[in-house]
Amino acid sequence: MWSKTAMFLMVRVKVQSRWGFMLPVPLRVMDEFLEALTDLARVGEVALRYVPVPREESSRKHLFWVKALSPSGIISAFHSVLKDLRRHKGLEVVDVETGDVRVKVHLK
């Protein structure tokens, strides 16, 4: 049975005066990478709970900001967005042209 889901994230970079290149990234690899990164972020969040709060004000503000933010939640949200976009084969995610450089990211 034919599936219309995207299998690759195609990243194309082209400079006008030179040859460009295309980098196909399999979405299976991205899925596995994001799952591993989420697990690693969760371990870091648990480890940060046991880090004592420093006495210096600037360090304290920085540590509170890092503890309040949930990196694993952000990564898993990005992963779910990528899974939702996977159903739209042929979708151009990014198409940016600045000066001589053109970057294009699409699902194929």
Side-chain angles (χ1 to χ4, degrees), residues 50-68:
Y50 299 106
V51 173
V53 179
R55 292 179 188 230
E56 296 174 0
E57 188 62 31
S58 62
S59 299
R60 177 176 279 180
K61 285 181 182 178
H62 180 70
L63 189 61
F64 279 140
W65 181 80
V66 171
K67 284 185 176 182

Side-chain angles (χ1 to χ4, degrees), residues 9-14 78 82 85 88 90-98 101-108:
L9 185 70
M10 304 296 284
V11 179
R12 181 180 298 165
V13 178
K14 182 165 173 49
F78 177 71
L82 186 64
L85 286 177
H88 303 288
L91 179 69
E92 289 186 10
V93 181
V94 176
D95 190 4
V96 178
E97 187 171 345
T98 58
V101 180
R102 183 173 184 180
V103 177
K104 186 175 183 180
V105 177
H106 66 279
L107 297 166
K108 196 166 192 161

Side-chain angles (χ1 to χ4, degrees), residues 19-66:
W19 290 88
F21 67 91
M22 185 183 302
L23 179 68
V25 179
L27 287 177
R28 282 184 299 145
V29 173
M30 283 294 290
D31 286 340
E32 294 294 325
F33 173 73
L34 289 174
E35 285 178 17
L37 195 61
T38 303
D39 292 341
L40 191 62
R42 282 188 188 130
V43 169
E45 289 171 4
V46 170
L48 271 177
R49 289 184 197 155
Y50 299 106
V51 173
V53 179
R55 292 179 188 230
E56 296 174 0
E57 188 62 31
S58 62
S59 299
R60 177 176 279 180
K61 285 181 182 178
H62 180 70
L63 189 61
F64 279 140
W65 181 80
V66 171

